[in-house]
Amino acid sequence: MSESTQAQDRTFPPPEQLAAGANVGPDVYAEADRDRLAFWEQAARRLSWEREWDQALDWSKPPFAKWFVGGRLNVAYNCVDRHVEAGHGDQVAYHWEGEPGDQRTITYAQLKDEVCRAANALLELGVQVGDRVAIYLPMLPETVIAMLACARIGAVHMVVFGGFSADALASRLDDAGAVLVITADGGYRRGAPSALKPAVDDAVSRSGNVRNVVVVKRTEQDVEWTEGRDLWWDDVVGRQSTEHTAEAFDAEHPLYIMYTSGTTAKPKGILHTSGGYLTQVAYTHWAVFDLKPDTDVFWTAADVGWVTGHSYIVYGPLANRATSVMYEGTPETPHRGRWWDIVDRYGVTILYTAPTVIRTFMKWGEDVPAKADLSSLRVLGSVGEPINPEAWLWYHEHIGHGRCPIVDTWWQTETGAHMITPLPGVSTLVPGSAQTPFPGISAKVVDDEGNELADDSTGLLVLTEPWPSMLRTIWGDDDRYVDTYWSRFGPSTYFAGDGAKKDADGNIWLLGRVDDVMNVSGHRISTTEVESSLVAHPTVAEAAVVGASDPTTGQGIVAFVILRGDAAEKYGAEGAGGELVQTLRNHVARDIGPIAKPRQIMVVQELPKTRSGKIMRRLLRDVAENRELGDVTTLTDSSVMSLIKDKLPSSPSED
Ligand code: PRX
């Protein structure tokens, strides 16, 4: 019997001891069902409000929601000051570890001082309430400090993942109208310093609004310096007072913008606000991971540049007074056991990561984690893509040693926090399924017309009630917000873009995106964005991109390109034995970022199109996944496909 068959037959009840002491028990579902809004109000009361709300939810103008209307709070105060005031100043907020092995320990009291200093620095630089501040940093304590400093003074942060290119940064700076950029000279990745400042210099030179660039010193690389504009973090933050009184803002005050790929080439600026967002990230972090602030050591092994980092490295853990681990680098540096050494060193009790990483560890072999003491672990989490039962079982056995429940959490940049997930002290786990909507969340599987499907059928995932941490709009583009998420089934049903199956027991299985969005190593990349980048290269006339299933990364990017006449003459039909293909792959990596580098590019003479001129991606996916071709009868010219298939390379290029 294969492992996957075994997995499907197996279920895992919650460990007795964990269930007995769990933060939430089985009653939580009925309680939320009885009165959904009262349930979320109770969750909101775990925070400290300067003024309580008058109304839990205003949904009078769907899809524009307001949560905790009239309430006022300061997000940074909730994440830091109140814990210090309650006598927990000496508790460690972060055990930070740099890739070269350097370590920093930051207590809540120290974090408060640093956040106040940074807030004072931003004020000195003229940052005002509502201004957008871009943060383009590696995984450093200063990244968290910068985010909290913005929140503290009511500025809106916009963190851009350090792996994005200058172009990607420039378009985000422009779209958000950022007035200030916080960056570093560089960061460490795969054992070497990697520069960040040059991309900022390039991007800022093209963006009209940025007045200052604040630079954290990390790698001590040489940097270009623009006098009057550039400032060292240590100078401008270091000289500030550690006193700053946090002012409360409206519950709906914007907290941050996070750009994510959609189905068009232009990324969407997802806007999150304060009270509802913090309520749901804090409550889910506490309930889904069973977080015990006095004893747990929590580690989300993701980058702060993604929503997972925002919600479960920064806001959720800090709101719950967690002690977290934060690690700057890659898992294989200097050796493949780095993560397990970290778990061992800090006594990590809860680990949250993505299936793609788990599959990589599987490839490296179980003897690697076996060398470390992982006995501190008690809960494991997964996020970013469906976790296949084989990977689930491996994670359960070789990392959790059969002891630790795995919470497979489905959510999105747009949802802000967990939406579908088991609860570790309650749910009997079914490997591969995210299982049930979180209490207070209404998720359904519907057909193309929006009719709810019976159990044991496959359709589209929708959310039928608003939730506190939902996105409020797409920055500067309310129409696109309505069109993208709320038009398919009417203005009060959120279309998630994921296919889903509900099994006979009512468990939800996520089946991947149903739109033109790829999921590569848990990162969302739009096919259109990669196509636009390819056709922007002078040699390319036309491009079609598909996400093909990949054993490690979930999906891999496969591009089909038609060369322009002169390029075809110069390079020949095959693209000069792969030389041009490498150039194009590097071009995309430079243009968008290394995560968008196509796994494979095939130079073809034609693309399969329907009579109305639409590219048939389904067929290209068949080719990319080495499958028998599906129905080709709607093609204008069915011989195109045999031409493409004949040219298939035997193995995809990789690096
Ligand atoms: O397709 C789903 C997949 O990731 C998408 C959201 O991507 P992003 O906004 O980048 O956020 C990732 C981290 C929250 C979803 O539409 N996805 C995320 N988590 C899961 C998942 N698919 C299956 N199972 C999950 N647990």
Side-chain angles (χ1 to χ4, degrees):
M1 198 164 32
S2 79
E3 266 211 306
S4 65
T5 333
Q6 282 176 20
Q8 265 143 34
D9 291 347
R10 288 177 67 183
T11 56
F12 297 81
E16 261 170 47
Q17 211 190 338
L18 196 152
N23 287 348
V24 292
D27 298 346
V28 70
Y29 291 101
E31 189 194 324
D33 279 351
R34 238 184 341 265
D35 188 341
R36 216 173 65 82
L37 292 181
F39 170 80
W40 285 120
E41 286 186 291
Q42 209 183 322
R45 288 197 186 96
R46 298 179 67 247
L47 305 176
S48 166
W49 296 76
E50 188 222 42
R51 181 185 188 281
E52 228 191 70
W53 52 93
D54 306 313
Q55 191 187 358
L57 168 68
D58 177 0
W59 191 231
S60 57
K61 293 191 194 68
F64 297 95
K66 289 191 179 131
W67 280 88
F68 307 116
V69 183
R72 294 179 70 80
L73 80 172
N74 185 289
V75 169
Y77 174 84
N78 270 280
C79 289
V80 185
D81 305 43
R82 67 174 173 139
H83 307 316
V84 178
E85 287 170 13
H88 299 288
D90 291 339
Q91 183 179 332
V92 174
Y94 292 101
H95 293 288
W96 177 85
E97 193 164 303
E99 201 189 67
D102 45 337
Q103 297 173 12
R104 283 165 71 182
T105 305
I106 295 126
T107 64
Y108 274 93
Q110 289 166 335
L111 187 60
K112 175 173 173 289
D113 286 353
E114 292 310 313
V115 171
C116 287
R117 278 206 176 100
N120 286 327
L122 293 179
L123 291 172
E124 183 185 304
L125 295 172
V127 176
Q128 297 188 358
V129 175
D131 279 354
R132 274 79 60 211
V133 172
I135 299 176
Y136 185 66
L137 280 170
M139 289 278 287
L140 300 176
E142 284 76 10
T143 317
V144 180
I145 293 164
M147 290 164 75
L148 293 168
C150 290
R152 192 171 186 98
I153 64 166
V156 184
H157 61 71
M158 193 250 303
V159 179
V160 178
F161 173 57
F164 273 122
S165 66
D167 277 355
L169 176 62
S171 70
R172 285 159 175 78
L173 291 177
D174 252 359
D175 190 76
V179 297
L180 187 124
V181 182
I182 305 177
T183 188
D185 44 3
Y188 288 96
R189 281 201 81 73
R190 291 183 216 288
S194 133
L196 279 176
K197 178 81 171 24
V200 175
D201 291 334
D202 181 353
V204 169
S205 71
R206 291 183 258 157
S207 173
N209 294 306
V210 176
R211 294 190 305 258
N212 289 108
V213 176
V214 176
V215 189
V216 177
K217 198 172 272 176
R218 166 71 184 133
T219 53
E220 317 248 332
Q221 287 166 288
D222 286 338
V223 288
E224 298 267 326
W225 206 251
T226 304
E227 282 306 328
R229 185 197 72 182
D230 296 353
L231 301 148
W232 287 110
W233 170 280
D234 283 346
D235 292 342
V236 67
V237 175
R239 66 165 176 259
Q240 305 292 332
S241 150
T242 56
E243 297 296 318
H244 175 271
T245 308
E247 174 196 342
F249 296 99
D250 191 274
E252 283 298 336
H253 188 73
L255 178 62
Y256 70 82
I257 303 169
M258 162 113 282
Y259 283 84
T260 184
S261 291
T263 52
T264 67
K266 190 175 182 275
K268 301 177 294 215
I270 303 300
L271 179 70
H272 283 293
T273 60
S274 304
Y277 174 79
L278 197 64
T279 294
Q280 193 174 332
V281 294
Y283 187 76
T284 51
H285 178 255
W286 178 77
V288 173
F289 297 116
D290 191 41
L291 189 280
K292 308 278 197 263
D294 293 326
T295 47
D296 274 321
V297 177
F298 178 79
W299 184 18
T300 289
D303 197 285
V304 156
W306 307 105
V307 75
T308 305
H310 280 48
S311 298
Y312 299 106
I313 295 177
V314 182
Y315 290 112
L318 291 177
N320 288 325
R321 185 173 49 87
T323 294
S324 291
V325 166
M326 192 172 169
Y327 169 57
E328 178 188 33
T330 47
E332 67 270 46
T333 310
H335 58 82
R336 292 173 167 181
R338 181 68 186 265
W339 275 29
W340 316 121
D341 286 356
I342 292 176
V343 169
D344 195 345
R345 182 151 49 248
Y346 302 104
V348 172
T349 57
I350 306 168
L351 174 68
Y352 190 34
T353 187
T356 183
V357 187
I358 297 161
R359 289 193 296 266
T360 303
F361 289 136
M362 282 172 81
K363 254 192 337 206
W364 292 347
E366 56 245 34
D367 47 322
V368 180
K371 290 196 193 96
D373 179 0
L374 305 182
S375 60
S376 55
L377 288 170
R378 64 180 198 95
V379 177
L380 301 174
S382 173
V383 60
E385 54 177 316
I387 178 163
N388 47 312
E390 289 85 347
W392 196 105
L393 280 185
W394 190 91
Y395 195 25
H396 192 255
E397 186 176 338
H398 297 290
I399 306 302
H401 297 169
R403 242 186 12 253
C404 310
I406 299 177
V407 285
D408 175 5
T409 59
W410 178 89
W411 58 296
Q412 307 177 302
T413 306
E414 291 87 341
T415 70
H418 299 156
M419 300 295 283
I420 303 176
T421 175
L423 292 175
V426 179
S427 313
T428 291
L429 303 172
V430 181
S433 166
Q435 301 195 254
T436 41
F438 189 78
I441 297 299
S442 174
K444 299 205 161 110
V445 179
V446 299
D447 66 15
D448 280 342
E449 273 75 53
N451 306 308
E452 187 172 358
L453 293 170
D455 285 356
D456 213 7
S457 24
T458 298
L460 303 169
L461 182 72
V462 294
L463 303 167
T464 54
E465 296 286 352
W467 62 100
S469 63
M470 65 194 277
L471 76 167
R472 298 304 196 260
T473 190
I474 293 175
W475 181 256
D477 201 345
D478 285 351
D479 289 345
R480 193 173 173 204
Y481 167 66
V482 176
D483 281 357
T484 310
Y485 305 107
W486 308 92
S487 58
R488 186 153 178 168
F489 302 118
S492 56
T493 302
Y494 175 88
F495 172 57
D498 277 32
K501 180 183 141 183
K502 211 163 177 200
D503 70 17
D505 302 319
N507 289 310
I508 297 175
W509 298 72
L510 281 310
L511 303 173
R513 304 287 307 186
V514 294
D515 52 14
D516 292 335
V517 174
M518 298 172 286
N519 188 329
V520 181
S521 301
H523 299 319
R524 262 161 78 169
I525 301 163
S526 128
T527 53
T528 329
E529 209 175 339
V530 179
E531 284 167 4
S532 308
S533 169
L534 285 166
V535 294
H537 193 270
T539 58
V540 176
E542 211 177 334
V545 168
V546 295
S549 64
D550 184 287
T552 306
T553 60
Q555 284 190 311
I557 304 176
V558 179
F560 298 82
V561 298
I562 302 178
L563 298 183
R564 291 193 187 189
D566 45 349
E569 267 170 41
K570 180 167 168 205
Y571 293 100
E574 310 295 325
E579 182 199 326
L580 179 63
V581 163
Q582 281 311 330
T583 307
L584 290 175
R585 291 177 69 225
N586 293 335
H587 161 78
V588 177
R590 235 186 350 264
D591 198 21
I592 305 175
I595 51 164
K597 187 175 193 171
R599 182 185 80 184
Q600 206 175 339
I601 294 183
M602 298 187 213
V603 179
V604 295
Q605 253 135 54
E606 273 185 86
L607 287 168
K609 289 190 183 153
T610 62
R611 289 179 186 95
S612 61
K614 235 178 139 236
I615 293 174
M616 291 189 70
R617 288 171 202 281
R618 177 176 56 77
L619 290 179
L620 292 177
R621 221 170 287 129
D622 286 345
V623 172
E625 292 175 356
N626 258 322
R627 258 198 312 273
E628 279 304 299
L629 291 185
D631 182 9
V632 294
T633 50
T634 48
L635 278 179
T636 26
D637 175 5
S638 57
S639 63
V640 170
M641 288 317 294
S642 36
L643 268 177
I644 293 179
K645 282 213 84 169
D646 289 348
K647 298 191 50 192
L648 267 185
S650 44
S651 67
S653 45
E654 257 191 80
D655 53 271

